[in-house]
């Protein structure tokens, strides 16, 4: 593995970190985080995967590759809040290496009470930050929203929904893009780097260095 691929490998499962992975639908967010969960099996570590979008992830997993992962589904902001209160003692007691929330902001976007949504999201992110400082890697995926650029009112740009809060709490920020059959993984924080990747099968990702 060359130095660039090794650096990405270290960033994607960086210990003591909150890692945000965001992008439009179909860019590969769920496939990527599930792929990362298969990686920790080699370390004989356990993980937790929390879905806020129902059972769609189930088509990408099989019992043999994911027998070290606890899968949980939540369907409301209240359920997610309750789950976060239970995470810390569970993680400590079960020696969990990685916690994935896929996606962190889907329920946030559905709230009519914006003040409640902001308070709940920040509490969840603060709990993930605490977990990460206890030695756990917290990986969160984020849905995006269109945003009009001030200088070009007709040009749409993309940012993660709840960007102010998600960017503040995240140690590593990664954006996924899809251009035709090609996908790109773009690190925005703590460094600026790009890498190509392709989905070879359910939860199977291959990375490659982009040609300059």
């Amino acid at each position: 593995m060359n130095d660039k691929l090794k650096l990405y490998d270290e960033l994607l499962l960086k210990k003591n970190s909150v890692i945000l992975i965001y992008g439009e639908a179909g860019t590969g967010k769920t496939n990527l985080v599930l792929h990362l969960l298969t990686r920790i099996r080699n370390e004989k570590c356990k993980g937790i995967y929390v879905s806020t979008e129902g059972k769609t992830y189930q088509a990408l997993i099989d019992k043999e590759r994911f027998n070290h992962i606890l899968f949980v589904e939540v369907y409301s902001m209240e359920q997610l809040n309750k789950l976060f209160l239970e995470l810390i003692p569970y993680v400590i007691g079960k020696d969990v290496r990685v916690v994935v929330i896929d996606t962190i902001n889907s329920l946030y976007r559905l709230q009519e009470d914006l003040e409640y949504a902001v308070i709940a999201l920040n509490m969840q992110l603060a709990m993930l930050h605490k977990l990460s400082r206890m030695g756990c890697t917290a990986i969160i995926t984020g849905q995006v929203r269109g945003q009009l650029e001030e200088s070009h009112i007709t040009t749409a740009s993309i940012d993660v929904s709840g960007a102010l809060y998600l960017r503040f709490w995240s140690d590593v920020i990664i954006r996924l893009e899809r251009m035709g059959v090609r996908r790109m993984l773009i690190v925005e924080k703590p460094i600026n780097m790009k890498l190509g990747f392709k989905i070879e099968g359910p939860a199977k990702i291959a990375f490659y260095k982009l040609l300059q």
Side-chain angles (χ1 to χ4, degrees):
M1 181 180 293
N2 64 43
D3 290 342
K4 191 170 185 179
L5 292 179
K6 185 174 184 295
L7 182 57
Y8 269 100
D9 191 57
E10 293 171 351
L11 281 174
L12 287 168
L13 282 170
K14 187 177 181 182
K15 292 183 178 180
N16 304 317
S17 299
V18 176
I19 301 170
L20 168 64
I21 300 173
Y22 76 96
E24 296 181 88
T27 51
K29 298 185 296 294
T30 298
N31 264 299
L32 177 57
V33 296
L34 289 173
H35 169 78
L36 294 175
L37 287 175
T38 66
R39 297 284 304 279
I40 67 169
R41 188 182 180 197
N42 298 331
E43 304 173 19
K44 297 182 179 180
C45 296
K46 298 177 182 178
I48 300 174
Y49 174 93
V50 180
S51 171
T52 65
E53 298 185 351
K55 301 179 184 293
T56 54
Y57 69 91
Q58 291 186 356
L60 302 175
I61 65 173
D62 60 75
K63 291 182 179 180
E64 183 177 347
R65 293 176 66 208
F66 291 93
N67 58 12
H68 60 304
I69 304 300
L70 173 66
F71 289 93
V72 182
E73 297 152 20
V74 295
Y75 296 93
S76 70
M77 187 67 92
E78 291 71 26
Q79 288 181 350
L80 188 57
N81 288 340
K82 182 180 178 182
L83 176 68
F84 271 98
L85 294 176
E86 298 170 350
L87 267 181
I88 289 181
Y90 184 88
V91 166
I92 294 173
K94 300 294 183 179
D95 192 27
V96 173
R97 163 80 165 80
V98 178
V99 174
V100 172
I101 312 293
D102 185 22
T103 66
I104 189 67
N105 59 2
S106 60
L107 298 173
Y108 161 84
R109 298 180 71 191
L110 296 176
Q111 302 304 307
E112 295 183 0
D113 186 338
L114 180 59
E115 182 178 1
Y116 167 72
V118 169
I119 291 172
L121 180 62
N122 273 289
M123 187 227 31
Q124 294 160 9
L125 292 168
M127 294 289 283
L128 288 170
H129 175 82
K130 185 174 182 178
L131 279 174
S132 72
R133 273 38 185 187
M134 296 166 60
C136 184
T137 301
I139 303 175
I140 54 178
T141 65
Q143 296 178 347
V144 300
R145 58 179 173 79
Q147 185 180 50
L148 293 178
E149 296 178 346
E150 294 181 2
S151 57
H152 302 284
I153 201 70
T154 60
T155 302
S157 64
I158 298 298
D159 199 2
V160 63
S161 184
L164 178 65
Y165 319 110
L166 292 173
R167 291 182 178 278
F168 173 80
W169 288 105
S170 298
D171 302 291
V172 177
I173 300 177
I174 294 170
R175 183 174 81 252
L176 303 186
E177 292 186 358
R178 182 174 183 176
M179 295 179 292
V181 296
R182 190 172 77 163
R183 288 177 167 87
M184 284 199 305
L185 186 156
I186 303 163
V187 178
E188 299 180 348
K189 179 184 177 181
I191 56 176
N192 295 313
M193 292 178 64
K194 295 182 181 180
L195 192 70
F197 73 96
K198 58 183 178 180
I199 299 173
E200 297 187 322
K204 294 181 180 179
I205 301 290
F207 300 100
Y208 60 90
K209 186 176 180 180
L210 291 170
L211 297 176
Q212 301 299 323

